[in-house]
Amino acid sequence: MSYRIAKNLDSALEALKEKDPATRIVAGATDLFLQEMPARLVDVSSIEELTAIEEIDNRLVIGAAATHARAAASELIKGRAAALVEACLQVGSPQVRNIGTLGGNVVNAAPAADAAVALVALGAKAVLVDSSGVWREEAVARLYSSYNCSALDGCTELLVRFLIEPCGQGEGSAFRRFAARKALALPLANAAARLKLENGMIASLSLVAAPVGPAPTRLIGTEAAILGKPAGEETWLLAAETAAEEVEVRGSLLRCSAAYRRHLVGILTADALRAAARRAAVSQSGSLT
Ligand SMILES: Cc1cc2nc3c(=O)[nH]c(=O)nc-3n(C[C@H](O)[C@H](O)[C@H](O)COP(=O)(O)OP(=O)(O)OC[C@H]3O[C@@H](n4cnc5c(N)ncnc54)[C@H](O)[C@@H]3O)c2cc1C
């Protein structure tokens, strides 16, 4: 087995050039080592470009190897993409959050990965580079190919960073999840919302729930049902009902029934919307949340 710690992007790409199917990128290893032990590992967790959290040209730029703990503690993210902070704070336990990364969360491709759900609701773009040095940008939801299967080529493609348009005035976001315990339990369901209010009405919105398909899924029907409606309890109730009807859920003997998960999606969706609207209203009065 070989384990190479890449100090910069060039050396990581160099290691991927052989296109060896036995090669895997590793960051925190909290998912990878539970599933497989590849023969050649390229550790990207100390590449500065992959760990930085910055604001550039009015966009949040978050390195793929930023840990959940660092993202959750980032004042830059807190003020502009609160849903991501809330999601990262609920991953696993302090130990898992200290080494698990946002990039690993997305590339591992679990449908209800907490940070991934928030990133999709926030409209995040992923920036990738392959071993030939070709760069591309993709919406995060497009990085999933099927259940627990990433669209990335695991031995040649590197996820470098995420780009997020920060929430501006009148905008807010929030993330909610339900799990059997408060820590060290995967979510039975989660939901995230980003919305913009104009004169108390919902002017735009992005609503995501999981696990209701192979990837974090936009609730298009629910979005359409409440767009243009006033931000208030009647609308959140309508959203809960529509979301619960709209989603295709699977039950499991180990975790929960399909009916219970459907019910949870409704409740979590409404609560994420309620919290996002509260933040949007506060930000309209000048201070970002
Ligand atoms: C006890 C425990 C509890 C957990 N609880 C939760 C939870 O509550 N919620 C949740 O969402 N997750 C949870 N997880 C899952 C895991 O911690 C997260 O998904 C974490 O974010 C994975 O990041 P990582 O850096 O450890 O990824 P790794 O394990 O290093 O990698 C995961 C996958 O991503 C690939 N990869 C990593 N970085 C890159 C990159 N930059 N470019 C290309 N490919 C890359 C790897 O090759 C691998 O295929 C838990 C895990 C454990 C062990």
Side-chain angles (χ1 to χ4, degrees):
M1 179 198 178
S2 86
Y3 195 100
R4 176 168 175 172
I5 300 178
K7 290 288 176 214
N8 53 46
L9 202 52
D10 285 345
S11 73
L13 294 180
E14 192 58 41
L16 298 177
K17 267 202 175 119
E18 287 174 33
K19 303 187 178 178
D20 176 355
T23 300
R24 282 284 173 280
I25 292 162
V26 63
T30 60
D31 278 322
L32 187 68
F33 287 1
L34 298 183
Q35 297 156 7
E36 53 175 325
M37 189 55 78
R40 289 184 69 228
L41 285 158
V42 182
D43 184 328
V44 296
S45 63
S46 36
I47 302 178
E48 216 176 298
E49 206 170 339
L50 266 74
T51 54
I53 299 177
E54 307 166 277
E55 188 169 6
I56 300 173
D57 294 337
N58 198 32
R59 280 207 291 194
L60 281 174
V61 179
I62 305 173
T67 62
H68 297 288
R70 281 198 54 238
S74 161
E75 289 302 323
L76 214 49
I77 304 178
K78 237 177 244 177
R80 294 159 178 80
L84 184 58
V85 168
E86 287 176 325
C88 291
L89 275 175
Q90 298 198 50
V91 169
S93 63
Q95 294 89 339
V96 174
R97 292 194 287 274
N98 280 338
I99 54 166
T101 64
L102 300 192
N105 199 247
V106 168
V107 181
N108 185 56
D114 291 307
V117 167
L119 286 167
V120 173
L122 287 162
K125 296 269 175 7
V127 179
L128 307 130
V129 61
D130 70 13
S131 55
S132 326
V134 177
W135 290 79
R136 67 187 171 104
E137 232 178 81
E138 285 287 357
V140 169
R142 291 182 58 89
L143 301 186
Y144 287 72
S145 75
S146 59
Y147 280 96
N148 301 307
C149 199
S150 172
L152 259 74
D153 180 337
C155 48
T156 61
E157 278 192 300
L158 181 62
L159 172 51
V160 178
R161 61 181 81 97
F162 299 101
L163 306 175
I164 302 176
E165 299 291 335
C167 284
Q169 237 185 344
E171 275 193 285
S173 72
F175 169 90
R176 292 293 184 266
R177 82 171 209 168
F178 186 82
R181 297 183 305 274
K182 283 194 176 155
L184 287 173
L186 294 174
L188 298 182
N190 51 20
R194 174 179 186 154
L195 55 72
K196 183 170 180 141
L197 297 184
E198 279 172 14
N199 303 318
M201 305 290 178
I202 302 171
S204 67
L205 105 133
S206 155
L207 194 53
V208 171
V212 300
T217 304
R218 286 279 293 268
L219 302 184
I220 305 294
T222 310
E223 290 178 4
I226 66 167
L227 190 67
K229 295 221 163 9
E233 276 315 307
E234 218 171 288
T235 301
W236 312 145
L237 264 179
L238 173 65
E241 282 166 15
T242 316
E245 274 168 27
E246 176 181 4
V247 291
E248 287 193 16
V249 287
R250 299 200 293 193
S252 98
L253 280 177
L254 276 180
R255 312 202 51 215
C256 69
S257 68
Y260 185 57
R261 184 165 273 150
R262 187 179 291 287
H263 172 70
L264 283 177
V265 166
I267 289 176
L268 295 170
T269 299
D271 206 30
L273 283 166
R274 197 178 279 120
R278 235 178 352 247
R279 292 195 168 113
V282 171
S283 86
Q284 245 163 358
S285 65
S287 56
L288 289 173
T289 59

